[in-house]
Amino acid sequence: MSPLAHSIVRGVLGLGLFAIVTAGVVGLTHSVTFERIASNRLASQYQVLEEVVPAALHDNALVDDTVTLSAAEELGQENTFTAWQARQNGNVTAVILPTITHKGYSGDIALLVGIKANGELTGVRVLSHQETPGLGDKIEARKSDWIKQFEGLSLGNPPAEQWTVKKNGGSFDAFTGATITPRAVVNAVQDSLEYFAAHRERLLEILEGGPSEPIQ
């Protein structure tokens, strides 16, 4: 083999080895990163669930205690989705419903709505949104306490016609320069309460029995 050919072969082998090593490093990095991201996401989800239903109301691991529900237009869910159940001494104390409103100022707003078995709200938190920074983003618990005002409320408290912002004759404050965002959240929470009320008996019964099929 000529020196030139030998040099070419050595170069090709070197590049091949480099590619293999690089691919291995990238694969390992992706695996480690993916696991870390998944772990962080799970921890974040668990934290939000705990904020929606306080520890005093349950003794189970919320993140692992789930129920499958059929598509629900009133919750903005177009396909089957997962809700969470809070239990204490084996009894269902609350349900956490994921709700999506399409009426945000800049797009969808995803919420978690916690509702006690008696129909009272335990808490509401925003999972994601695209609202204007400094205005609509005040729906986030880390930006203001506005979202915490729902705790303890229920259908009838306030009356149905007052489940909107004060600008529209309701009971809830809006943000200066931003009415659409809080109004969308208030309406979504009310829709969640109405969904719970409409499915309460069956929902709690299936949760307690461990459903094998989605709630219709």
Side-chain angles (χ1 to χ4, degrees), residues 41-216:
R41 185 176 298 165
L42 183 64
S44 177
Q45 183 184 69
Y46 183 80
Q47 179 181 344
V48 176
L49 291 173
E50 288 290 329
E51 291 179 12
V52 173
V53 176
L57 293 178
H58 71 91
D59 55 19
N60 62 325
L62 295 175
V63 72
D64 297 323
D65 218 338
T66 62
V67 60
T68 300
L69 305 175
S70 293
E73 182 178 351
E74 56 268 62
L75 299 182
Q77 301 290 353
E78 299 178 353
N79 303 297
T80 56
F81 61 100
T82 297
W84 294 264
Q85 52 188 348
R87 297 173 182 265
Q88 199 164 53
N89 298 322
N91 298 314
V92 177
T93 56
V95 178
I96 301 175
L97 298 174
T99 301
I100 301 172
T101 174
H102 306 303
K103 299 179 180 179
Y105 181 77
S106 301
D108 292 350
I109 301 174
L111 308 164
L112 285 183
V113 181
I115 306 173
K116 286 183 182 179
N118 66 3
E120 289 184 2
L121 289 164
T122 62
V124 180
R125 289 295 184 274
V126 176
L127 288 179
S128 64
H129 70 88
Q130 302 176 54
E131 303 305 275
T132 307
L135 292 174
D137 65 349
K138 292 178 183 178
I139 56 176
E140 296 179 35
R142 65 190 182 91
K143 295 294 181 67
S144 79
D145 289 333
W146 183 87
I147 199 73
K148 299 178 181 179
Q149 68 183 304
F150 294 103
E151 297 170 13
L153 302 184
S154 62
L155 290 180
N157 177 30
E161 65 274 10
Q162 292 183 21
W163 273 88
T164 187
V165 295
K166 291 180 179 178
K167 182 178 180 180
N168 299 127
S171 299
F172 299 89
D173 292 327
F175 310 135
T176 301
T179 299
I180 295 176
T181 303
R183 182 169 56 207
V185 172
V186 170
N187 291 342
V189 174
Q190 182 183 26
D191 288 343
S192 299
L193 286 170
E194 291 176 347
Y195 175 87
F196 178 82
H199 299 276
R200 182 181 178 279
E201 289 186 10
R202 188 177 180 194
L203 180 61
L204 294 177
E205 177 184 0
I206 292 179
L207 280 171
E208 292 176 350
S212 57
E213 295 182 359
I215 295 176
Q216 299 298 317

